[in-house]
Amino acid sequence: MDKEAVEKPTINRAKFATSLGVLAATLGSAVGLGNIWKFPYLAGSNGGAAFLLVYIVCMLLIGIPVMVTELTLGRVARSNAIATMQKLAPKGQPWWLIGAAGVLSAFLIMAFYSEVAAWVFAYIIKAIQGGILSTDPEVTKSAFNGLVTDPTQSLIWQWIDLAIVGFIILLGVNKGIEGATKKLMPILLILLIVVGIRSITLPGAGEGLAFLFQPDFGKLTAASFLIAMGLAFFKLSVGMGTMITYGSYFRDDQDIPGTAFRVAFSDLAVSLLAGIAIFPAVFAFGYEPNAGPSLLFLTIPSVFASMPLGNVFMVIFFILTFIASIGAQISLVEVPVAFLEEKFHLSRKVASISTVVAIAVFGALAALSNSLLADVKLLGMTFFDLFDYTTSNILLPLGGLFIAIFISWVWGKKKITAALTNDGKLANTWIVNVLYGTLLVVTPILVTIVLLNGLKIIQ
Ligand code: PFF
């Protein structure tokens, strides 16, 4: 290991200023479109509470240990994802590839994620104008199709979203990331509770709660396990260096395991709250709980159109969804920005602008997946679906697998214990021991089995 680099962290490197700021930024990264667009539907269609159980197991045995690992490595090295692995790995071993794969994943995820955020942003404006509030499926369908099949609109809304994200990133770690998430997270929570209360107080809401919470083990398949694991990686923003990058801004006295537990469970609470805000209303008005984009952009407008003061609640709903996407997007963009700043000594401004422009160029592949590139398919998927599938189900789990192996088998218990107890200042030795054992054996075996099984390499 390059000892000097570890012991003498880069001076003048930004750090999150307060504990609350750390929590807001890290939770801001975890909470995102995943809570609203992925989690509730996946839980509902894979056996409700049965899937929830599998997800919690994935979170405890995979997601949290990998998050702790990433935050720790980042804080010790005080570097971007690639340099962190370079600094901490034994000389000549290519562990930096994990960081490089992370930068690639950031681009792949941002390509489709920024497009969904762009639709959400467009829907805030459309909802205010009132054009999409209708119970007629023809109206909601043509509004959504009109948006996604129009290449100009798809690109321009994506650029607007990227400009907002780029602006926050450009303001830096404290003013930008910490400042924005500290303001946005409480607003998000309040808005979600408002919509949640509206939803469960509707007559006939019980069926929606049953969809989400009634355990149906019969609906669990081998694929459900891969989905739950992929979701745990995607939800907790781990497996690709985001948490390495954020960990590099953590203060030395921050309790890393405590933070990771708090973030994971708060994120789960937000997902459940999102499910409570969506499904009771969906069932109360007799709609089908369909997947992904159509749930957000077709069903939800109809649901709101069916309720009193629906237009107000719909505007609130899309604003909260957009707010959720912001914290996640800035954490994704920060991965390449931190790398460019440190590797090529670029100013924050140049690094932020060039990253956002590169994402805009690359993101066009996803943005145009419903229009000009609708017929271009790889492995039977459009670019949009391909980026989504390969990141959640392959790249992030692989990244997490190698990160777990690196910290437990290569870096070793002594260093882990020193880093996680803050050099003995925290009385959390048993937690550290449990985490170490999990990372050494359980996480690698579990990720390998689920990956091989989910990808049908073993049956
Ligand atoms: N956790 C975010 C969500 O659930 O929407 C998505 C995400 C953000 C994934 C950051 C990966 C990442 F590095």
Side-chain angles (χ1 to χ4, degrees), residues 29-35 109 113 234-235 237 240 242 328 331-332:
S29 168
V31 168
L33 293 172
N35 302 65
I109 295 179
Y113 203 90
F234 187 84
K235 279 288 345 86
S237 313
M240 52 158 290
T242 304
S331 73
L332 283 158

Side-chain angles (χ1 to χ4, degrees), residues 105 157 347:
S105 299
W157 290 115
S347 67

Side-chain angles (χ1 to χ4, degrees), residues 38 60 84 174 184 198 229-231 238 274 284 331 375 433 456:
K38 278 181 185 248
L60 288 173
T84 290
N174 294 111
L184 293 177
R198 171 68 282 198
M229 184 177 78
L231 187 63
V238 295
S331 73
D375 295 327
N433 286 339
K456 307 220 165 36

Side-chain angles (χ1 to χ4, degrees), residues 8-344:
K8 269 203 231 148
T10 329
I11 32 171
N12 289 336
R13 211 165 179 283
K15 275 193 199 143
F16 292 133
T18 60
S19 246
L20 193 70
V22 167
L23 204 65
T26 317
L27 185 60
S29 168
V31 168
L33 293 172
N35 302 65
I36 297 160
W37 172 53
K38 278 181 185 248
F39 193 103
Y41 172 75
L42 289 177
S45 56
N46 281 282
F51 180 83
L52 223 55
L53 264 170
V54 178
Y55 176 80
I56 291 173
V57 170
C58 289
M59 193 173 98
L60 288 173
L61 299 182
I62 301 170
I64 293 176
V66 175
M67 188 191 283
V68 169
T69 302
E70 289 196 23
L71 293 172
T72 306
L73 297 177
R75 185 173 71 176
V76 171
R78 296 242 174 260
S79 288
N80 64 78
I82 298 180
T84 290
M85 298 312 292
Q86 263 166 345
K87 281 184 182 178
L88 303 185
K91 282 244 159 344
Q93 294 189 11
W95 292 98
W96 59 271
L97 283 170
I98 297 177
V103 174
L104 173 70
S105 299
F107 273 94
L108 292 174
I109 295 179
M110 269 310 281
F112 72 88
Y113 203 90
S114 61
E115 185 57 20
V116 181
W119 297 336
V120 172
F121 191 76
Y123 262 55
I124 298 176
I125 313 288
K126 286 178 193 285
I128 292 172
Q129 290 168 341
I132 43 171
L133 196 73
S134 170
T135 49
D136 180 354
E138 286 311 310
V139 175
T140 51
K141 235 189 225 154
S142 80
F144 185 58
N145 286 343
L147 173 65
V148 303
T149 57
D150 177 348
T152 318
Q153 280 204 60
S154 304
L155 288 175
I156 288 178
W157 290 115
Q158 189 181 39
W159 294 342
I160 292 173
D161 169 73
L162 287 172
I164 296 171
V165 173
F167 177 71
I168 298 174
I169 279 291
L170 202 150
L171 291 178
V173 172
N174 294 111
K175 263 210 212 140
I177 301 176
E178 190 175 354
T181 49
K182 252 162 87 175
K183 287 187 200 88
L184 293 177
M185 290 313 284
I187 303 178
L188 164 67
L189 210 64
I190 292 168
L191 297 185
L192 198 54
I193 291 172
V194 169
V195 184
I197 291 176
R198 171 68 282 198
S199 180
I200 42 171
T201 49
L202 290 166
E207 210 187 323
L209 290 177
F211 178 70
L212 195 59
F213 291 113
Q214 216 162 56
D216 182 352
F217 288 93
K219 278 202 197 148
L220 277 181
T221 60
S224 315
F225 289 90
L226 180 67
I227 291 171
M229 184 177 78
L231 187 63
F233 277 104
F234 187 84
K235 279 288 345 86
L236 300 179
S237 313
V238 295
M240 52 158 290
T242 304
M243 290 298 167
I244 296 182
T245 312
Y246 270 20
S248 76
Y249 307 134
F250 271 37
R251 294 173 346 169
D252 291 322
D253 60 356
Q254 188 75 28
D255 171 3
I256 289 182
T259 307
F261 274 97
R262 245 169 267 152
V263 167
F265 280 97
S266 311
D267 175 69
L268 177 63
V270 172
S271 295
L272 295 180
L273 213 55
I276 289 170
I278 295 171
F279 289 122
V282 167
F283 281 92
F285 295 111
Y287 291 100
E288 282 294 312
N290 42 14
S294 45
L295 174 68
L296 260 192
F297 300 105
L298 302 181
T299 312
I300 297 246
S302 304
V303 168
F304 283 118
S306 317
M307 66 171 71
L309 278 182
N311 49 350
V312 177
F313 283 103
M314 183 154 76
V315 173
I316 295 178
F317 179 82
F318 282 112
I319 290 177
L320 83 83
T321 307
F322 189 68
I323 288 178
S325 83
I326 290 289
Q329 291 188 83
I330 54 183
S331 73
L332 283 158
V333 176
E334 182 64 15
V335 177
V337 167
F339 168 68
L340 288 177
E341 256 188 303
E342 288 166 11
K343 173 83 184 173
F344 301 107

